[in-house]
Amino acid sequence: MTHIYTTLVTDPDEVPGALAYVVYKRTKIEWRAHFHATYSRQPDASEDESFVRIQMLPANIERLKQQGELVASEFMQEVLNEKWQRLP
């Protein structure tokens, strides 16, 4: 199975892809917490693998990439706004 990182980040300088991976990791942490709250145990290896397979579906990869692009865009807008406010 292809690793999700290499699916999201195709270039070492690709910021939106790296941010998409951060979104994926946050989603996985939230899923694991919800799983534990529901079943009073951590997911086993096959359940973890099922989660990853679902995240690797094309629609989910596209959603993660879009979220990574949105985070990058929002960050850049915030930086630009701060710089603009500092101009004399």
Side-chain angles (χ1 to χ4, degrees), residues 17-63:
L19 291 171
Y21 185 70
V22 170
V23 171
Y24 159 76
K25 291 301 277 188
R26 184 180 62 206
T27 301
K28 188 171 184 180
I29 289 167
E30 291 169 355
W31 170 77
R32 290 178 67 81
H34 179 72
F35 189 99
H36 186 269
T38 303
Y39 300 106
S40 299
R41 66 177 179 84
Q42 293 299 320
D44 62 26
S46 68
E47 291 160 332
D48 252 349
E49 187 175 318
S50 292
F51 173 84
V52 173
R53 283 188 180 154
I54 290 168
Q55 295 304 305
M56 290 291 291
L57 291 172
N60 288 331
I61 291 296
E62 185 60 31
R63 176 187 54 81

Side-chain angles (χ1 to χ4, degrees), residues 75-88:
F75 176 76
M76 288 303 301
Q77 188 61 48
E78 189 174 316
V79 168
L80 289 172
N81 286 340
E82 287 177 13
K83 298 283 185 189
W84 184 257
Q85 291 174 359
R86 292 183 190 156
L87 289 175

